[in-house]
Amino acid sequence: MASSSTFKTLFVLILLWILLPSGHQHHPLDPLTPSELAQIRTIVKGWNPGSTHNLTFQYVGLEEPDKPTILSWLLKHPTKTPSRQAFVIARVDKKTHEIIVDLSTHLVISDRIYTGYGYPLLTFEEQTAANALPLKYAPFIASISKRGLKLAEVVCESFSVGWFGERRRSKRVLKILCFYLDGTENLYVRPLEGITVVVDLDDMKITEYYDRFVVPVPKADGTEYQASKQKPPFGQRPKAITVVQPDGPGFKIDGHTVRWANWVFHLGFDIRAGPIISLASIYDIEKNTFRRVLYKGYVSEMFVPYMDPTEEWYYKTYFDAGEYGFGLCAVPLEPLTDCPANAVFMDGYFAGQDGKPIKISNVLCVFERYAGDVMWRHTETGIPGKVIREVRPEVSLVVRMVSTVGNYDYIVDWEFKQSGSIKAVVGLTGVLEVKGVTYTHTDQIKENVYGTLLAENTIAVYHDHFLSYHLDLDVDGDDNSFVKAKLQTTRVTDKSSPRTSYWTVVKETAKTESDARIQLGSDPAELLVVNPNKKTNVGNNVGYRLIPGSSAASLLSDDDYSQIRAAFTKYNVWVTPYNKSEKWVGGVYADQSRGDDTLAIWSQRDREIENKDIVLWYTLGFHHVPCQEDFPLMPTLSAGFELRPANFFESNPVLNTKPPKHVVWPNCTTKVQ
Amino acid sequence: MASSSTFKTLFVLILLWILLPSGHQHHPLDPLTPSELAQIRTIVKGWNPGSTHNLTFQYVGLEEPDKPTILSWLLKHPTKTPSRQAFVIARVDKKTHEIIVDLSTHLVISDRIYTGYGYPLLTFEEQTAANALPLKYAPFIASISKRGLKLAEVVCESFSVGWFGERRRSKRVLKILCFYLDGTENLYVRPLEGITVVVDLDDMKITEYYDRFVVPVPKADGTEYQASKQKPPFGQRPKAITVVQPDGPGFKIDGHTVRWANWVFHLGFDIRAGPIISLASIYDIEKNTFRRVLYKGYVSEMFVPYMDPTEEWYYKTYFDAGEYGFGLCAVPLEPLTDCPANAVFMDGYFAGQDGKPIKISNVLCVFERYAGDVMWRHTETGIPGKVIREVRPEVSLVVRMVSTVGNYDYIVDWEFKQSGSIKAVVGLTGVLEVKGVTYTHTDQIKENVYGTLLAENTIAVYHDHFLSYHLDLDVDGDDNSFVKAKLQTTRVTDKSSPRTSYWTVVKETAKTESDARIQLGSDPAELLVVNPNKKTNVGNNVGYRLIPGSSAASLLSDDDYSQIRAAFTKYNVWVTPYNKSEKWVGGVYADQSRGDDTLAIWSQRDREIENKDIVLWYTLGFHHVPCQEDFPLMPTLSAGFELRPANFFESNPVLNTKPPKHVVWPNCTTKVQ
């Protein structure tokens, strides 16, 4: 007769067999699967038997194996995958717990109470609960009534509160602002200005309430963006257009490993970062091997400060990744519109507040991009009697996520080129955050309104968007250096040349972190990450170049509290030595953070970065002065940067890449729907 | 009986009837037709009966009617087209003539001898003749023999000589440099370094010859770029991919007028500028009218200075538009590779050196671009119980030319967006100009070599590319102002806000030209061209914003002779009052110019530019530090800028534009070739 404990063990084993994914072996960087998330929930709940009703999962993500473990796994692959672990941030009895769960032993292997400043990511569930509170709160109902508005048309949203030098530790609170539908579904453009509700999330109750003034709610007319709500005259409808690949896509996705042309990389998903590109390597035909480029790339933080110091607006200094979850806010991508017809989609999973797995369908798409561009070309007419023309069209691979953080939609692209470039582009669209005012015409405005009057009673407040990318480049190996190749004007004063000036390149290798902080636009320089231990045949250091697009750095003063929290926005470029714990440039606990765990703080140690495993942090910025075209919904505004091989290859790596075959459509009965 | 003169008149009339285009009426900005070019030739030759053998046509282009004439024609259209005139720069008996020909009266209405500094565009014919001279020149043949090379494998090319402060007026000369094929058709990477031939173009003979040193000719191996010459292993061939529009293109081209979506513009072609966009207007649904945006846009000049002060290289400071003709160097576009499958092509015509019309097939292409991007989108989850998702894919219209100025290929795109944006992008590809050296490894280099060692014996010299765009914006009318909207940090010191800083916008309207010279990257500012006489309903000035991409300004010293000639590269932005004669920022006569007819000189007058018809000049720059990937042919490197409506429309102009229909392919028997 089996004892009770033997029976229990057998049960657990069967359960495991059901829950664990069969068939394909995990890549050690694969995001947590639904069954793993379920397992984590069981383990964590089992670990806190007394507090189940007070336990919320604020973040559940993969606790990655150490970098050497990953690299050695990759080298000896296929072999046993390193044990799977998860990092959980939970709130248990109003305390923040950092829990590490081991999925092979089913044990909590560490549980630490975090006592520092700042709070973890906000869950959807607690925001939803908080948003519902005003609608049953008598003073709020009275405010709505006073304004002659219908309560049923009011919807509320959650806004993080920031930190403004308060010494006393604040409770875990949100501010709730409300909006008015009544004839539109574009809620953000109809703010109930003047009303602020403060909700304590741990007690889930309203702790403060302000109704400071009444201004008109901007009108609903002209604010709808849905096709079904539009009225004629319509803009000219573009003719049907699509991308076609009759032989199917040129890439293969095996689990989370993407192989395309000369690239291979791992594509993960995290509710904080969104897409995570790992282990991107490029095949070098000449060397007949894959060579490492990017160990890891992701959006570490996004800082969105608004520029209105008044009572209702001063605190709007959002950390979209650390507060709201850039991946958590990812929306299902719509086939044929969000991604072209030749896209392949991937689902994403995360743990809900109760720990149960939740799916985001189509959270990422992967597609080959053909925009009619030219990869390289030349027409040669210099040889008498001959005309040579060689043209290679550009086909690249794009990985896309769209994250809708409340009103704003961020289109996040990673683009891989056959030539070895990796481009990151972010597109901003969606709805502006606007402020209700009494003004209906700019002539009435005699004070600073901190924004643009976009429509009657509607000011779109000036703001910035700063996206900071973690770029752990491992250019042809772990140890790299950061080089500023400065372009310096040289005067010719000795009559040795008819020229009186030219520029030359003076390369400076950054020794320590302070050498590598750069505000773009100051001095002309090429920025390179090189492998000082690898040279090309003719002796150049193997490297990759960072090509910034148009960018911006923060204009806030250094002692501004929001700037202290988002100190990474002070420079566009930082370089640090690799440190597994340094992931989130605004700190692990960004909500109400006080700037004690930021890139700027880590970097104060001024560590050595020459010929080390280094991480490049690039911050892309937009200063946004809204204009009327951004209303009621803004056309996409994009910016990005490129990592481009610079003496990484011996020569043009796409010289002998054959162009794609031409497509001919002889017998199509096409339909346009 | 008909008299002889009656007979002659009849003959001329019949000839005209044959030569003149029938059917479609000329747009006053249409480029000269082949028959018009033939007519001009006849008229100019008839005007110079004694000098026919010494008459060369260096430039023949449309002499545009004055701006008010064009605008009034446009307003009263259709009406009689203003009389067609041509501007001819001819060399007659070693003198430069500026001739204006009237095509309706068949008369030369003005013939002026130009006596200033500088020479007109180089013709292909004279370059070809000059290039052939060394091959029959005994000292050159001896130099080739001395190097043990085969004369039959030598090809020579023409290089403009610049100006370096010489007081004496130079003759009209070129320097001829030669290259070695022998196993490659990529001639530029095999220079015969050390040999310089100077050719007097008027006498078409060698006037100076230098063979100063011998260095190895870089090897041919690995320099071929033609598919037919490649050896395995090959790069992975991309899967077939194409763009399909089953209902055909969404644009219409009537003569040179292009209509697409909400845009209409005239697309001209000029051998100096390449494509010329004129009279671009956008339809405003709300106002039910076309509104003017860009009276004219084109590349006014391209300056390409190399950074090597040594004897064989110092003079390489090319003006690709003014010396070589940016349009003259345009190459026929290859369908399916240079432009996508849905492109429509236009031919271009120019006058050869003898004045006879020459066709460039497919000199421009026009296509709708669909890259899988998103024009605007939003997902709304903030309304309880609802999920709203609206996505509009981005389809834009591209006009493309490729100009191959010797070794370099420039892909010049003008992109129109439904949202009102006009983007200009230039892609650089083709072959680098390299210098033969003795070095085979960087370890051997102990001096400044002014470039990167790309391969054995091959230095790619540092250089810049500066493209200056003439942008005659007429934002909703003639009179516009240029506004710098400076983003200024404001400190909060009075405890009126928990914030300690924010930024605000301080608008400065440029009064005179000196107020509008801007080096990008200095201070954060939005740059706007506004119509101070037009306001939106809520009172914002109607405007367009210039959004620079990554750019560069010249690093040469102000007193450098090349910099004096290309003084427009000192600032990225200049604004001038409209002046019909101010077209070419490096001067009408760029070859050997001395900087006395440049944008910087015109602008010294510091004219008033507020509420005037103004022209924006934007210079796009690349500092090019070559890398091995650029060898033997460089992958495209792009940069550009955007003109984006800013309070031009009352609201998002593409809000109610219906998305293109979806394409479904039910019964295709596709073939891939």
Side-chain angles (χ1 to χ4, degrees), chain A residues 157-169:
Chain A
E157 301 294 335
S158 301
F159 297 83
S160 57
V161 299
W163 173 67
F164 295 89
E166 303 88 353
R167 293 202 179 167
R168 231 178 57 180
R169 188 179 290 263

Side-chain angles (χ1 to χ4, degrees), chain A residues 32 327 362:
Chain A
L32 297 167
N362 294 359

Side-chain angles (χ1 to χ4, degrees), chain A residues 4 15 18 26 34 83 87 99 135 145 159 194 221 261 269 288 310 325 354 364 444 461 481 515 570 620 636 669:
Chain A
S4 165
L15 196 73
I18 293 167
H26 271 298
S83 77
F87 178 62
I99 302 167
L135 303 175
S145 174
F159 297 83
D221 198 41
F269 175 76
N288 189 23
T310 61
D354 63 359
L364 298 173
Q444 300 157 355
V461 175
S481 293
D515 296 335
K570 170 88 176 175
L620 187 77
T636 306
T669 54

Side-chain angles (χ1 to χ4, degrees), chain B residues 503-517:
Chain B
W503 57 258
T504 192
V505 177
V506 179
K507 291 191 180 179
E508 288 178 5
T509 299
K511 306 283 180 205
T512 65
E513 292 176 276
S514 57
D515 296 335
R517 289 173 203 139

Side-chain angles (χ1 to χ4, degrees), chain A residues 575-624:
Chain A
V575 178
T576 59
Y578 175 81
N579 181 329
K580 193 186 171 185
S581 72
E582 295 174 0
K583 284 185 178 175
W584 311 109
V585 290
V588 177
Y589 298 96
D591 182 32
Q592 299 189 42
S593 67
R594 300 194 173 188
D596 47 22
D597 175 30
T598 68
L599 172 55
I601 297 292
W602 314 332
S603 176
Q604 271 180 4
R605 280 172 281 173
D606 203 14
R607 294 161 289 186
E608 289 185 4
I609 54 171
E610 189 180 5
N611 204 4
K612 303 253 183 240
D613 185 2
I614 55 175
V615 176
L616 179 69
W617 306 86
Y618 181 72
T619 296
L620 187 77
F622 300 82
H623 298 305
H624 195 169

Side-chain angles (χ1 to χ4, degrees), chain A residues 367-591:
Chain A
F367 62 90
E368 281 165 291
R369 182 175 188 269
Y370 171 60
D373 294 327
V374 172
M375 183 162 76
W376 60 259
R377 81 172 316 287
H378 184 56
T379 299
E380 185 54 67
T381 54
I383 305 171
K386 274 193 189 174
V387 176
I388 296 167
R389 180 174 56 189
E390 286 286 333
V391 192
R392 297 291 175 278
E394 179 85 85
V395 180
S396 58
L397 187 81
V398 173
V399 171
R400 176 171 295 168
M401 174 190 76
V402 172
S403 182
T404 302
V405 188
N407 50 313
Y408 255 109
D409 296 56
Y410 297 95
I411 302 160
V412 179
D413 281 1
W414 288 89
E415 183 179 6
F416 293 82
K417 297 194 174 198
Q418 298 169 78
S419 58
S421 281
I422 302 175
K423 284 181 79 172
V425 177
V426 62
L428 272 57
T429 175
V431 184
L432 292 172
E433 253 184 63
V434 305
K435 174 176 169 177
V437 291
T438 56
Y439 308 119
T440 55
H441 195 279
T442 54
D443 287 348
Q444 300 157 355
I445 305 174
K446 307 290 176 208
E447 61 189 340
N448 192 345
V449 290
Y450 314 107
T452 309
L453 189 72
L454 291 196
E456 289 178 11
N457 309 118
T458 310
I459 292 278
V461 175
Y462 304 139
H463 59 281
D464 298 312
H465 303 261
F466 296 108
L467 277 89
S468 184
Y469 285 80
H470 168 106
L471 301 166
D472 182 0
L473 285 155
D474 283 0
V475 175
D476 217 15
D478 295 335
D479 290 342
N480 287 180
S481 293
F482 179 72
V483 173
K484 268 187 283 189
K486 292 186 174 178
L487 276 45
Q488 288 188 346
T489 302
T490 305
R491 301 274 306 177
V492 184
T493 51
D494 61 358
K495 310 266 179 203
S496 61
S497 168
R499 285 280 276 270
T500 54
S501 71
Y502 60 96
W503 57 258
T504 191
V505 177
V506 179
K507 291 190 179 179
E508 288 178 6
T509 300
K511 306 284 180 202
T512 64
E513 292 175 275
S514 57
D515 296 335
R517 289 173 204 140
I518 293 167
Q519 262 190 9
L520 294 173
S522 41
D523 297 308
E526 300 221 321
L527 306 175
L528 298 149
V529 173
V530 303
N531 187 326
N533 315 298
K534 298 267 176 78
K535 283 183 193 297
T536 61
N537 290 340
V538 296
N540 292 306
N541 272 327
V542 156
Y544 256 73
R545 188 179 150 211
L546 168 70
I547 307 183
S550 62
S551 198
S554 177
L555 299 176
L556 296 177
S557 61
D558 288 348
D559 64 355
D560 187 285
Y561 296 110
S562 307
Q563 182 61 30
I564 291 167
R565 299 172 67 214
F568 63 90
T569 60
K570 170 88 176 175
Y571 299 99
N572 300 99
V573 175
W574 306 68
V575 178
T576 59
Y578 175 81
N579 181 329
K580 193 186 171 185
S581 72
E582 295 174 0
K583 284 185 178 175
W584 311 109
V585 290
V588 177
Y589 298 96
D591 182 32

Side-chain angles (χ1 to χ4, degrees), chain B residues 166-184:
Chain B
E166 303 88 353
R167 294 203 177 167
R168 232 178 56 180
R169 188 179 289 263
S170 165
K171 291 196 161 185
R172 191 160 172 262
V173 295
L174 280 179
K175 287 188 177 174
I176 308 295
L177 303 179
C178 301
F179 303 88
Y180 201 56
L181 299 171
D182 199 29
T184 188

Side-chain angles (χ1 to χ4, degrees), chain A residues 21-250:
Chain A
S22 60
H24 121 264
Q25 199 203 7
H26 271 298
H27 186 293
L29 296 177
D30 280 355
L32 297 167
T33 62
S35 59
E36 286 176 329
L37 290 169
Q39 200 185 342
I40 291 157
R41 176 175 188 263
T42 307
I43 295 165
V44 171
K45 285 196 166 261
W47 179 253
N48 292 277
S51 308
T52 307
H53 64 288
N54 278 329
L55 189 159
T56 56
F57 291 82
Q58 308 292 138
Y59 173 83
V60 180
L62 181 71
E63 172 71 11
E64 285 186 13
D66 291 340
K67 195 166 168 179
T69 309
I70 300 275
L71 292 173
S72 104
W73 173 85
L74 201 68
L75 213 62
K76 294 173 197 157
H77 185 66
T79 176
K80 196 173 160 291
T81 305
S83 77
R84 298 274 289 172
Q85 298 190 341
F87 178 62
V88 177
I89 301 179
R91 290 283 288 176
V92 186
D93 295 330
K94 304 189 184 181
K95 288 194 170 63
T96 298
H97 286 244
E98 296 178 339
I99 302 167
I100 295 175
V101 174
D102 188 284
L103 287 159
S104 53
T105 58
H106 313 284
L107 291 173
V108 167
I109 59 172
S110 133
D111 180 356
R112 190 174 76 91
I113 294 177
Y114 174 73
T115 56
Y117 291 116
Y119 292 110
L121 270 71
L122 302 161
T123 69
F124 277 148
E125 293 85 345
E126 63 197 0
Q127 291 178 65
T128 303
N131 296 345
L133 293 177
L135 303 175
K136 294 180 179 167
Y137 185 68
F140 181 80
I141 295 169
S143 294
I144 298 302
S145 174
K146 181 175 77 180
R147 283 168 173 79
L149 303 175
K150 294 168 268 184
L151 193 66
E153 297 293 330
V154 174
V155 289
C156 301
E157 301 294 335
S158 301
F159 297 83
S160 57
V161 299
W163 173 67
F164 295 89
E166 303 88 353
R167 293 202 179 167
R168 231 178 57 180
R169 188 179 290 263
S170 164
K171 292 196 163 187
R172 191 157 172 265
V173 296
L174 282 178
K175 289 189 177 173
I176 308 295
L177 303 179
C178 301
F179 303 89
Y180 201 57
L181 299 171
D182 199 29
T184 187
E185 273 155 331
N186 191 350
L187 56 116
Y188 300 103
V189 298
R190 304 199 76 195
L192 299 177
E193 204 68 37
I195 303 175
T196 305
V197 186
V198 181
V199 169
D200 180 319
L201 288 175
D202 286 323
D203 293 332
M204 198 48 77
K205 67 175 190 194
I206 292 172
T207 54
E208 295 172 58
Y209 182 77
Y210 305 95
D211 180 359
R212 298 206 319 130
F213 56 82
V214 176
V215 290
V217 176
K219 65 184 177 190
D221 198 41
T223 65
E224 268 289 0
Y225 52 86
Q226 294 174 83
S228 58
K229 304 286 172 69
Q230 297 306 307
K231 291 170 205 145
F234 297 112
Q236 195 182 313
R237 187 173 198 176
K239 287 288 178 76
I241 188 163
T242 193
V243 170
V244 173
Q245 292 188 283
D247 293 344

